[in-house]
Amino acid sequence: MPNFTHKRKSVSRLMAPVALAVALAGCSTPNLYNQQVPLTDITAVAAQSSAAYLSKVNTSDGAERINWEIMAVKAMILENKWQQADQWIAKLSQQSMNPTQIAEWQLARAMVREHQGQPQAALNSLNFQPSWQLTKSQYQRYYTLRANLLEQLNHPFQAARERTKLDYYLDQSQKAANWQQVWHDLSGYTNAQLGSVKLTDNDSVLKGWVELAMLKNSATMQPMQLKQALEQWLHRHPYHPANQYLPAELKALIDMKAVKLDNIALLLPLSGRFAAQGKAVRDGFINSMMDDKGRDTNNELNIYDTEAQSMPDIMAQLQHNGTQFVVGPLRKNIITEFQQDNTTHINMLALNMPPQISNNKPNACYFALSPEQEAQQAAERIYAQGHRNPAILVPSNGFGQRVAQAFNQQWLQLDNQPALIVNFGSRAQIPQQIKQAFTTGAGSHVDAIYMVASRNEVMMLKPFIEASMPPSGDPAQIYASSRSNPDNHNGNRELRGIEVSDIPLLINPQPGYMERFNQLWPNQGNTSIRLHAFGMDAYLIAKKLPEMRANSHYSVQGETGDLSVNNQCIVQREIDWGKFSSHGITPLTATHMPTAPISNTSSAASDTSSAADNINLINGESSAQ
């Protein structure tokens, strides 16, 4: 069997063994001799103190004396008297014991060795013989302890094999947790690793779990295909435990139903202050809908202006029309109103993040153009490219604080050290602020700078940054958020060499698409293009949402990024990166890192200096945060 050594998350114990532990590796096994049935049940939990058991040792002899010594050791372990327990275990190793006594001795010894930080020695000393006739409790503790030790030693596949054997000795109430742990142990392996494992005829149950894990990992399958393959596998193996203890992620696939967009509604601001943003999202949604060649032409789309009608009026119309799915609203406070009035539980893809995400609303999903998420992915890229001393430059306002907090939270997870946060203010303040930040202390060692600034702000900041950095050594690599991506690239010499993040439609668009876009919607800036792409992806997600929810590994390529959903049904976007050049933006190869989740706390915070609970635009140019 291959020795898998990939890193794993720490695993929780399924069952705390009642009487635990193991024997020291290399210690000789005591000799056996025939004895009469002992009077003491040494497989039970130690109910008395170790002192009480030791007092009985002094008044007993033969097999019963050994029994009391074993119970004393088990009591010492419960009392955390590890050194004393180890001493008595050594004494027991010199005595002749029957199989039941040796089994308890091995279990106790293993627990002591585990406590001493010697999991391999503990595992080596657990060696029940096939000829032994032991109790259900002893076998249960034996396989549980072996599995736990193998997990500590980073051998989860071998642990899964032990847990498969353990199932035979478990009560019905314990089986679900055990099979869940088996699935957890197998889920970290790739199909190449699982396919290289040699299984015997005795591993038929484990083989079934391996086949399911490989099925789950099938990246070439669409979720609906995966669902069909899973159903066929379960039908072919009606007696496999998976039929009764199917993992949650596979059950989600089985329960998945194809979405029907035959009666859908768009809830957007089409008048008032945010009419331009709402219309851009609407146009993108309809554009994507009309380009969908597989769409049923009889599907009905109703569009509601959330600024012109009250939510109770809109909700009454939705219910009257039998609306099955709602895309929107766009403004945060309107999302909250919708959820409060949605008594008939209409499914919703909200186009923003409300102040609170409720776990008891399974019919609600959330899609947002989040500057916080963009900052988190910038931290991931900077770390993946080998930088370890980053600084983040943000404006001195609530928006800047939220973005800086999101970047720093992600950086702390990656490097355990905070990034340097530099706030900048007006044109007159910038020279002194930059000089103070980068000429002393941590600022003098910065090797990467992430700027959350407009094009004009970058043009002001960059020369002062370059002048403040130490003259020797490599200059810090500058990264910029999508705020820095101008509507045109004429006269942007100062931006050359800066890496910038933005949506794929602006970094690396499909051939010919922007030409078509400019014909249909001429003279649009990047903010409108982002919102148009946002609407396009809202339609894509609405179609694919059941599949995305059922399989966390499933993603779809959209115009705003590579899209997936987390366990709260919050859409995650992996954005694109490019580098400013004399010809505009040159696309860069993606740096593969886990997509950072949207931070609810940072997204929920409102900037009281702007339109408090409204729209978060990814470039931050709007006053509506």
Side-chain angles (χ1 to χ4, degrees):
M1 178 180 300
N3 182 23
F4 299 152
T5 59
H6 66 291
K7 292 184 178 179
R8 298 276 297 177
K9 296 180 180 177
S10 61
V11 279
S12 58
R13 308 280 174 137
L14 276 179
M15 292 156 266
V18 187
L20 299 159
V22 184
L24 177 66
C27 189
S28 60
T29 300
N31 296 323
L32 303 180
Y33 68 88
N34 294 326
Q35 296 179 342
Q36 62 184 8
V37 178
L39 301 177
T40 305
D41 182 9
I42 59 173
T43 68
V45 180
Q48 301 179 39
S49 67
S50 58
Y53 287 121
L54 289 176
S55 67
K56 297 179 181 180
V57 169
N58 297 327
T59 60
S60 304
D61 55 22
E64 193 65 5
R65 179 186 178 91
I66 294 174
N67 285 344
W68 294 128
E69 289 175 336
I70 290 172
M71 294 305 295
V73 169
K74 294 172 72 171
M76 292 170 193
I77 291 173
L78 293 177
E79 295 164 357
N80 292 319
K81 297 178 180 178
W82 300 99
Q83 185 175 1
Q84 188 179 3
D86 197 17
Q87 293 170 351
W88 276 94
I89 286 171
K91 293 179 182 179
L92 281 165
S93 68
Q94 305 303 315
Q95 303 187 53
S96 296
M97 295 185 283
N98 63 33
T100 299
Q101 293 170 331
I102 294 178
E104 291 298 327
W105 174 79
Q106 284 191 10
L107 290 166
R109 185 75 172 204
M111 187 59 181
V112 171
R113 289 294 168 260
E114 182 186 26
H115 177 77
Q116 293 171 341
Q118 303 178 47
Q120 187 63 61
L123 182 65
N124 291 345
S125 66
L126 281 172
N127 187 26
F128 284 13
Q129 298 300 305
S131 62
W132 293 356
Q133 299 295 318
L134 304 176
T135 67
K136 176 181 176 181
S137 167
Q138 288 176 306
Y139 284 118
Q140 183 182 118
R141 287 177 283 140
Y142 174 75
Y143 288 116
T144 298
L145 186 50
R146 283 184 60 85
N148 288 338
L149 291 167
L150 284 164
E151 286 160 352
Q152 292 177 41
L153 292 165
N154 198 28
H155 299 305
F157 187 90
Q158 290 90 329
R161 174 175 271 132
E162 297 299 314
R163 294 194 185 279
T164 302
K165 299 173 184 176
L166 170 64
D167 175 75
Y168 180 79
Y169 302 100
L170 295 177
D171 297 333
Q172 199 65 34
S173 61
Q174 300 170 310
K175 289 178 178 288
N178 184 54
W179 290 126
Q180 181 181 354
Q181 191 63 45
V182 169
W183 181 252
H184 182 278
D185 287 337
L186 296 178
S187 293
Y189 291 115
T190 65
N191 279 3
Q193 291 172 318
L194 292 172
S196 67
V197 173
K198 294 182 180 180
L199 298 170
T200 67
D201 292 340
N202 294 329
D203 291 323
S204 59
V205 174
L206 181 60
K207 180 182 178 182
W209 288 113
V210 168
E211 290 174 354
L212 287 173
M214 294 179 71
L215 198 60
K216 181 262 298 182
N217 292 342
S218 299
T220 57
M221 282 192 182
Q222 295 290 322
M224 283 298 178
Q225 294 176 311
L226 188 56
K227 172 185 177 180
Q228 184 178 11
L230 177 59
E231 290 172 336
Q232 292 172 349
W233 190 95
L234 292 172
H235 180 73
R236 292 196 306 269
H237 304 84
Y239 301 111
H240 191 275
N243 284 273
Q244 187 174 356
Y245 305 105
L246 194 65
E249 56 189 305
L250 298 186
K251 189 176 187 304
L253 282 169
I254 291 291
D255 296 339
M256 180 176 60
K257 297 180 181 179
V259 67
K260 294 182 179 180
L261 298 180
D262 52 356
N263 194 335
I264 191 170
L266 264 177
L267 274 60
L268 297 168
L270 302 176
S271 60
R273 181 179 178 183
F274 299 107
Q277 288 97 326
K279 290 176 181 178
V281 175
R282 176 200 62 189
D283 293 345
F285 188 93
I286 295 175
N287 185 26
S288 186
M289 183 177 179
M290 298 305 293
D291 284 347
D292 181 6
K293 296 180 181 179
R295 176 181 62 90
D296 186 343
T297 56
N298 294 320
N299 287 353
E300 181 179 351
L301 173 65
N302 293 298
I303 303 175
Y304 299 86
D305 183 357
T306 56
E307 306 302 301
Q309 292 180 275
S310 69
M311 186 49 63
D313 288 344
I314 293 175
M315 189 62 67
Q317 294 176 61
L318 294 174
Q319 294 172 356
H320 177 75
N321 294 335
T323 301
Q324 301 165 343
F325 195 92
V326 163
V327 175
L330 187 64
R331 291 176 54 194
K332 295 181 180 181
N333 62 322
I334 304 298
I335 293 173
T336 301
E337 288 183 28
F338 179 88
Q339 291 184 310
Q340 290 172 347
D341 293 345
N342 187 18
T343 57
T344 56
H345 306 294
I346 300 171
N347 292 315
M348 172 183 68
L349 175 64
L351 298 181
N352 212 324
M353 295 290 295
Q356 298 293 331
I357 301 296
S358 175
N359 291 327
N360 61 358
K361 295 186 181 297
N363 60 315
C365 296
Y366 308 92
F367 180 34
L369 294 179
S370 166
E372 290 94 340
Q373 188 179 27
E374 187 180 7
Q376 289 173 319
Q377 291 186 39
E380 292 172 350
R381 181 172 183 85
I382 290 170
Y383 183 85
Q385 292 191 330
H387 302 295
R388 294 298 180 268
N389 297 293
I392 175 170
L393 269 68
V394 295
S396 302
N397 55 29
F399 166 76
Q401 291 175 7
R402 295 198 304 272
V403 176
Q405 182 184 14
F407 181 96
N408 220 1
Q409 285 177 344
Q410 188 64 24
W411 189 261
L412 283 168
Q413 292 183 28
L414 296 168
D415 196 50
N416 294 321
Q417 296 291 332
L420 175 66
I421 298 176
V422 180
N423 296 297
F424 63 86
S426 64
R427 178 189 292 268
Q429 295 171 315
I430 283 176
Q432 182 62 29
Q433 289 172 328
I434 297 302
K435 181 179 180 181
Q436 183 177 355
F438 291 107
T439 57
T440 60
S444 61
H445 303 290
V446 164
D447 59 1
I449 299 172
Y450 178 56
M451 303 175 68
V452 183
S454 68
R455 170 192 173 276
N456 291 337
E457 289 168 338
V458 172
M459 301 282 277
M460 286 189 295
L461 289 163
K462 189 168 181 280
F464 291 110
I465 292 172
E466 292 172 342
S468 300
M469 299 299 289
S472 60
D474 296 330
Q477 174 63 50
I478 297 179
Y479 302 80
S481 73
S482 56
R483 285 177 60 124
S484 303
N485 189 5
D487 292 341
N488 65 73
H489 294 275
N490 298 325
N492 290 324
R493 184 174 181 179
E494 288 295 333
L495 299 179
R496 293 178 189 175
I498 294 177
E499 291 193 18
V500 61
S501 60
D502 213 327
I503 65 172
L505 192 58
L506 288 173
I507 294 288
N508 193 17
Q510 298 177 16
Y513 183 83
M514 288 311 299
E515 180 180 350
R516 173 191 170 195
F517 176 88
N518 290 328
Q519 290 176 349
L520 295 172
W521 294 279
N523 304 318
Q524 297 297 309
N526 284 354
T527 297
S528 294
I529 294 172
R530 293 186 189 97
L531 288 168
H532 187 93
F534 186 48
M536 295 175 70
D537 283 357
Y539 178 79
L540 175 64
I541 293 169
K543 280 190 62 180
K544 297 291 187 179
L545 194 54
E547 299 166 90
M548 296 170 75
R549 295 191 72 171
N551 187 353
S552 60
H553 301 282
Y554 179 63
S555 65
V556 293
Q557 182 58 53
E559 300 298 344
T560 64
D562 192 54
L563 309 169
S564 60
V565 298
N566 66 11
N567 57 6
Q568 289 183 294
C569 205
I570 298 172
V571 177
Q572 309 293 300
R573 294 185 310 114
E574 187 173 347
I575 53 180
D576 278 9
W577 287 86
K579 180 174 285 190
F580 285 115
S581 67
S582 57
H583 303 291
I585 295 179
T586 302
L588 297 174
T589 303
T591 301
H592 295 288
M593 292 284 289
T595 302
I598 295 176
S599 173
N600 292 343
T601 53
S602 59
S603 294
S606 61
D607 183 358
T608 55
S609 64
S610 62
D613 59 341
N614 292 309
I615 302 171
N616 261 328
L617 299 183
I618 196 168
N619 69 345
E621 296 292 349
S622 170
S623 63
Q625 301 296 334

